[in-house]
Amino acid sequence: MWSDNETSIDYLNYIEVAELICDMVTDESLLPLSVGVYGGWGAGKSSVLKLVESSLSKRSDVIVIEFDAWLYQGFDEAKTALMTVIASELMAKAPDSVKDKALDLMRRANKLKFLGLGAELGLAAMGMPTFGFVSKMLGSAQDVYEGSGDEKDLETIQDGAKAAKAKTEGLFRPKDIKTPPEEITAFKAEFSAVLQAMGKRLVVFVDNLDRCLPENAIKSLEAMRLFLSMPNAAFIIAADVDMIRHAVSAQFQGASPRHVVDYLDKLIQFPVNVPKLGMREVLSFLCMLIASRSGVPEEKIETLRSYLIGSIQTSWRNDVELKRDDVIAALGADAALAAQIDMAFRIAPILAHSKAVGGNPRVIKRMMNIIRMRHATAKRRSMQLDEAVITKLALFERCTDEAAFKALLDLINAAPNGKPQLFEPSQKAPIQVPEAFEKHRTFVDEWLDIEPSLKDVDLRPAVYLARETLPLQLKSKSLSADARKAVGELLKIPTLSSQAALVTISKIPTDETLDVMQELVGALRQNSDWSRKRTDLTGPIILAQERPDSAGVLAAFLNQIPGKAPWLQHMLKGLNE
């Protein structure tokens, strides 16, 4: 099994991208600076950041701070969260001679945080609590104001006020609160003074912006503007550029496509795209995944990594071939490991050119993890099923669609002893394939020729593994333009009788229905408040009704919500019917 997290070990020659970024952020003539590391879901953006961090950590004149925008969503005001994190890190890393300046900066950030509390600040001014006590207090306060409150409600208000007072003590010095613009000007001056006194430049990594709700994503970007007017500061923002532009469009209603593009282009001075994997990169990645879990000594794995990186770097010459025998020799592979390397060489071309994979390393890694899990399950249940056979079927599942894969499983189940005629073609007649295969015919023909041959193999155990356990739910997050637009529109549908929703759904490509529903469910997860009726659920309900094959995804999510309010129970009942 392989971790799904980012890594600081370079398998794909991302070091060239990382070195380019390091050159920019350490060039004083370019500061202040913003660099955008662009790529889709799973493309390797966070791994590039790790490599940049590893390189910058060796320099004594750089302070690296990581800011995960998604982590702070729902817990803090987006604009002040960035300021607070930066101030806290500088406070922690400042030498004793600069502690006082860093402390002033921290207090200034806390003031701005307090000023940004909005409604909570107003409640606090009336003796009501903040910092998590508001939601509890509002119910009791409403009861009191309406005359239905009891002694318990009054105790709740009093206890909350005491807790708020304790929480806010020490937040800032007992000085008059200035206006936010005045405080921001003071913050900028103190920030510059701290960096100058430390003799450092600041590099901030901003990751997971594309996981945030549009409002939070935009507020985080706006917060960066404050620092981009200061010397000795650089921001490296990792994001899916299409998702950020969607956030801009959603946040600024009525903005033209040109303004949406211009907004991000004006904020990001140097865009850097994570390279999409070609055939050689896919093959190298597969070989490294296999080698890293093979049990061979680390020095041999490093020898292979150096060889593969060199092969990628010289791929432009087209005269340096990546050879199977060289990979096996570098690892000193035994027969079992050599067989896995052979499979990597067979499937790499298909994975590299498959639209369903899109040269995405995370998709490849997850597919390999599913293969390993299925193989482990097969061994525990004494199924006579080779890992190469499991790999070949998983490749079909990943690179076609649900209808085609179901047709393949049905062929296997209907065939005597689980050996369909598809794998035993007659020389007298062409191969007959199910209709669901037709739009994937080129892939199917290539797939049938890949070793191992499935002739005379009882594939019923493989069907069980694929259908009953560990389904390969690995659809790409790269939606088409129509599907992505549909996601945004369906989250804004006001009523279940909306004709606009039907028009939107009609434009969703059939093979992207499940992907769209999964995106919608992901958006629903961002807001955990199900106490009152929500309009963002209306569109997904209509999609489930119009495209029943997607209803299961929505129902599974809604059934997990604890303590369902009556309105939600009613909607769920209608969905299940």
Side-chain angles (χ1 to χ4, degrees), residues 212-225:
C212 294
L213 292 171
E215 180 181 3
N216 286 74
I218 297 305
K219 284 184 176 180
S220 295
L221 288 172
E222 292 291 342
M224 293 176 213
R225 289 191 179 192

Side-chain angles (χ1 to χ4, degrees), residues 292-569:
S292 66
R293 289 294 179 269
S294 64
V296 302
E298 287 295 327
E299 58 268 21
K300 291 188 176 182
I301 294 176
E302 181 56 28
T303 298
L304 174 63
R305 191 185 76 85
S306 298
Y307 166 71
L308 294 174
I309 292 294
S311 174
I312 292 172
Q313 291 174 342
T314 57
S315 60
W316 61 273
R317 289 165 43 185
N318 291 324
D319 61 349
V320 181
E321 184 182 356
L322 204 167
K323 299 179 180 178
R324 165 195 172 278
D325 290 345
D326 290 342
V327 173
I328 291 175
L331 293 175
D334 58 17
L337 181 55
Q340 293 183 51
I341 296 298
D342 284 341
M343 178 56 74
F345 272 76
R346 289 195 293 269
I347 68 175
I350 290 181
L351 288 176
H353 298 113
S354 168
K355 292 182 179 179
V357 177
N360 189 300
R362 181 169 290 167
V363 169
I364 295 170
K365 187 186 293 184
R366 288 191 176 186
M367 189 185 82
M368 296 294 288
N369 276 334
I370 291 294
I371 291 168
R372 285 289 172 94
M373 286 191 285
R374 287 181 178 175
H375 188 232
T377 301
K379 289 197 295 185
R380 290 191 188 97
R381 301 189 183 188
S382 300
M383 296 176 177
Q384 300 302 313
L385 201 59
D386 188 83
E387 186 173 11
V389 172
I390 297 173
T391 301
K392 186 167 181 176
L393 290 177
L395 185 65
F396 189 99
E397 185 178 358
R398 173 67 256 183
C399 296
T400 59
D401 57 23
E402 186 176 359
F405 188 59
K406 181 179 182 298
L408 176 63
L409 299 187
D410 289 344
L411 275 180
I412 294 171
N413 281 331
N417 301 316
K419 303 174 183 178
Q421 192 67 29
L422 177 68
F423 305 123
E424 299 181 23
S426 169
Q427 295 182 352
K428 298 180 181 180
I431 298 175
Q432 297 295 316
V433 300
E435 183 179 349
F437 286 14
E438 287 300 333
K439 66 178 179 179
H440 307 286
R441 189 58 188 261
T442 300
F443 163 79
V444 172
D445 290 342
E446 293 177 356
W447 179 79
L448 287 170
D449 289 338
I450 294 176
E451 293 293 332
S453 169
L454 299 181
K455 181 180 178 181
D456 295 327
V457 178
D458 184 351
L459 295 172
R460 288 173 296 182
V463 170
Y464 173 81
L465 288 173
R467 177 173 284 167
E468 306 298 336
T469 68
L470 307 172
L472 188 57
Q473 297 174 346
L474 296 176
K475 289 297 182 183
S476 171
K477 296 293 183 182
S478 297
L479 297 177
S480 66
D482 286 338
R484 189 176 298 283
K485 183 178 179 181
V487 171
E489 292 177 352
L490 288 175
L491 290 171
K492 301 174 185 176
I493 300 300
T495 66
L496 288 172
S497 59
S498 171
Q499 292 300 307
L502 300 181
V503 173
T504 296
I505 291 170
S506 70
K507 297 178 182 178
I508 300 175
T510 304
D511 60 353
E512 291 189 277
T513 300
L514 288 177
D515 291 342
V516 169
M517 182 61 84
Q518 288 166 355
E519 288 288 319
L520 291 171
V521 168
L524 293 174
R525 290 183 189 276
Q526 300 283 346
N527 183 356
S528 60
D529 182 9
W530 292 93
S531 61
R532 63 188 66 188
K533 191 171 182 179
R534 289 171 45 172
T535 56
D536 59 352
L537 180 59
T538 309
I541 290 283
I542 299 174
L543 177 60
Q545 293 170 341
E546 294 297 312
R547 305 270 181 98
D549 56 325
S550 69
V553 176
L554 181 61
F557 165 65
L558 295 177
N559 283 323
Q560 295 172 359
I561 298 173
K564 299 177 186 64
W567 73 269
L568 183 56
Q569 294 178 11

